[in-house]
């Protein structure tokens, strides 16, 4: 999470490749049956696999021994806190992936474009953030497809990824397979800071920071939020982010871009010393 130690090999050089891969993956015309499931809750180590190797699992941690983590944000309410979050990520030259609902994208297309322009990835978080267990298979497909259309219409462009995150972190193998058949890998999280609960829910900035750091380990995926629920304007995660990024950097970790999971490893002759497969 945000570290000045991150390699300078950034994603700009591979955006065309990623854009093409995302476009194919998100065509929503269906894909071939998924390969055998990998161990539940694990994503492959950076640059080791590609999209389809992430199928069949909820991917709550990246399988790696490296001291790397991923930073992600969800957005469904509003864009409160977004400018502060983007500013802090920029300060630390830290990549992140933002999982947005389609409804958010429809209401805040400018926010979608700002995230994309800042160089971050955009993921699908359903259209209306329902409990998937309450929907029919057709209803679940519609939620994923409608969100994809909304993100595209809002200007996500090449920032769009073939990543999906279930509302409420509620997954099942059957639902994951449905999402995989639509061309998306499910990416969940190792821990949520719970900053979204706000002070009304008993949270503080200190507690949000502590939750993030207590979960720190190689391959951890941190979930935070932008926006605030109706009636609130305070975004604890936006306030906690500077401390989280600085503390993780001080502990010798660096942030990787989840889009690195989509790329094959570079041949030894083309590897960039010190880059270790990280864009930024």
């Amino acid at each position: 999470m945000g570290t000045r130690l991150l390699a300078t090999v950034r994603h700009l050089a591979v955006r065309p490749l990623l854009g093409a891969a995302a476009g194919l993956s998100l065509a929503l015309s269906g894909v071939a049956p998924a390969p055998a499931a990998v161990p539940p809750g694990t994503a492959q180590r950076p640059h080791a696999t590609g999209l389809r190797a992430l199928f069949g699992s909820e991917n709550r941690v990246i399988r790696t021994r490296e001291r790397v983590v991923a930073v992600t944000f969800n957005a469904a309410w509003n864009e409160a806190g977004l400018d502060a979050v983007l500013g802090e990520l920029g300060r630390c030259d830290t990549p992140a992936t933002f999982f947005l609902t389609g409804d958010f994208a429809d209401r805040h297309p400018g926010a979608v474009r700002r995230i994309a322009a800042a160089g971050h990835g955009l993921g699908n978080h359903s259209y209306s953030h329902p409990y998937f267990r309450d929907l029919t298979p057709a209803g679940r497909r519609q939620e994923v497809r409608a969100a994809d259309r909304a993100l595209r219409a809002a200007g996500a462009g090449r920032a769009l990824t073939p990543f999906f995150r279930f509302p409420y972190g509620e997954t099942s193998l059957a639902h994951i397979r449905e999402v995989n058949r639509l061309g998306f890998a499910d990416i969940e999280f190792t821990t949520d800071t719970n900053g979204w609960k706000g002070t009304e829910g008993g949270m503080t900035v200190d507690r949000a920071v502590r939750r993030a750091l207590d979960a720190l380990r190689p391959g951890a995926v941190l979930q935070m939020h932008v926006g605030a629920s109706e009636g609130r304007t305070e975004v604890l995660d936006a306030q906690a982010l500077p401390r989280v990024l600085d503390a993780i950097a001080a502990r010798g970790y660096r942030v990787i871009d989840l889009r690195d999971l989509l790329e094959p490893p570079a041949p030894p002759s083309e590897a960039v010393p010190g880059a270790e497969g990280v864009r930024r």
Side-chain angles (χ1 to χ4, degrees):
M1 251 171 232
T3 171
R4 303 174 184 82
L5 301 177
L6 296 177
T8 57
V9 181
R10 307 188 59 160
H11 66 273
L12 294 177
V14 296
R15 273 183 172 175
L17 175 61
L18 290 176
L24 289 173
S25 299
L26 296 175
L28 300 179
S29 58
V31 297
V38 298
T42 61
Q44 301 296 314
R45 70 187 301 272
H47 273 212
T49 55
L51 175 64
R52 285 178 56 77
L54 300 175
F55 286 4
S57 175
E58 60 184 359
N59 298 316
R60 291 188 178 273
V61 65
I62 301 166
R63 187 190 302 164
T64 181
R65 294 180 181 178
E66 297 180 48
R67 293 172 70 84
V68 298
V69 295
V71 180
T72 69
F73 293 86
N74 293 356
W77 293 307
N78 52 47
E79 56 184 332
L82 179 60
D83 287 341
V85 166
L86 291 178
E88 185 59 23
L89 292 173
R91 176 183 75 88
C92 294
D93 196 24
T94 301
T97 303
F98 289 75
F99 289 86
L100 311 182
T101 66
D103 175 63
F104 176 94
D106 280 343
R107 290 182 290 109
H108 303 288
V112 176
R113 292 191 292 271
R114 292 204 306 279
I115 294 169
H120 303 294
L122 287 163
N124 187 319
H125 196 35
S126 79
Y127 186 83
S128 63
H129 207 276
Y131 285 100
F132 267 41
R133 64 172 183 258
D134 295 335
L135 303 177
T136 64
R140 290 189 288 270
R141 290 193 297 271
Q142 175 60 21
E143 280 286 329
V144 178
R145 287 169 167 156
D148 181 71
R149 289 193 297 268
L151 286 164
R152 291 175 182 276
R158 291 180 175 176
L160 198 59
T161 69
F163 297 145
F164 180 81
R165 175 169 285 167
F166 282 90
Y168 309 105
E170 179 191 78
T171 67
S172 75
L173 183 56
H175 295 168
I176 288 171
R177 286 172 175 164
E178 290 176 348
V179 167
N180 293 163
R181 282 194 290 270
L182 293 174
F184 293 84
D186 177 40
I187 301 291
E188 296 301 326
F189 52 93
T190 309
T191 190
D192 188 320
T193 61
N194 283 350
W196 61 270
K197 293 182 177 181
T199 53
E200 298 87 343
M203 285 301 296
T204 65
V205 172
D206 286 344
R207 289 176 178 173
V209 172
R210 190 178 310 120
R211 284 182 60 85
L213 299 184
D214 285 348
L216 190 60
R217 59 167 167 155
V221 180
L222 177 63
Q223 176 173 279
M224 304 178 80
H225 289 74
V226 297
S229 59
E230 187 175 354
R232 292 198 295 113
T233 57
E234 185 179 48
V235 182
L236 295 185
D237 280 339
Q239 299 174 43
L241 185 60
R243 291 172 54 186
V244 170
L245 296 182
D246 288 344
I248 290 179
R251 295 187 185 191
Y253 281 78
R254 57 188 171 84
V255 177
I256 65 166
D257 192 321
L258 282 175
R259 288 172 290 186
D260 287 342
L261 299 177
L262 301 174
E263 300 175 51
S269 61
E270 298 179 13
V272 180
E276 299 181 270
V278 178
R279 291 191 180 83
R280 321 170 73 158

